[in-house]
Amino acid sequence: MLIPLIGLVIGIAAGIFSGMVYPVGFSAYVAMGILACLDSLLGGIYANMREDFHWKVFATGFVINAVLAIALIWLGNQLSIDLSIAAIVVYGSRIFNNCSNISKHNIRNKT
């Protein structure tokens, strides 16, 4: 459980201190990629807590979630439809669901 958190801290620090700037036109893509990766990370933490974690499932899900989220935004831009709102709702609900499951798991196992 400690390794993913260390990786998250290192990744955030690298992003902050790298000084890398992306064009404003990519902001929707980057935001959706971050949401999708956060969803996968929380899902992996919950799976680890249930002792049902598999590296292959996590790694492929992490990459595929990010690619699908970015592809959804790109498709929406091509069709002149704002699909980012739909992606935010879906990934946001999945993130809250994973957080809820993690807290329920912690409460059940602490008592």
Side-chain angles (χ1 to χ4, degrees), residues 17-111:
F17 295 118
S18 71
M20 193 170 140
V21 179
Y22 58 88
V24 176
F26 292 153
S27 62
Y29 300 107
V30 172
M32 283 309 112
I34 290 171
L35 275 179
C37 293
L38 184 60
D39 170 49
S40 295
L41 179 69
L42 290 172
I45 290 171
Y46 180 56
N48 191 27
M49 293 172 84
R50 290 181 308 175
E51 297 178 1
D52 189 31
F53 181 81
H54 302 285
W55 277 106
K56 288 182 183 178
V57 173
F58 175 73
T60 57
F62 189 86
V63 172
I64 290 172
N65 256 357
V67 169
L68 285 178
I70 292 169
L72 182 67
I73 301 304
W74 177 82
L75 179 65
N77 286 341
Q78 298 302 312
L79 298 174
S80 298
I81 300 172
D82 191 13
L83 291 178
S84 63
I85 295 172
I88 289 170
V89 169
V90 170
Y91 284 114
S93 67
R94 287 175 50 117
I95 288 169
F96 282 116
N97 189 28
N98 283 329
C99 288
S100 171
N101 288 335
I102 289 169
S103 81
K104 285 178 195 175
H105 187 272
N106 282 335
I107 290 170
R108 287 184 185 140
N109 288 339
K110 297 290 181 189
T111 59

Side-chain angles (χ1 to χ4, degrees), residues 1-8 55:
M1 172 97 172
L2 192 59
I3 293 174
L5 293 177
I6 292 171
L8 180 64
W55 277 106

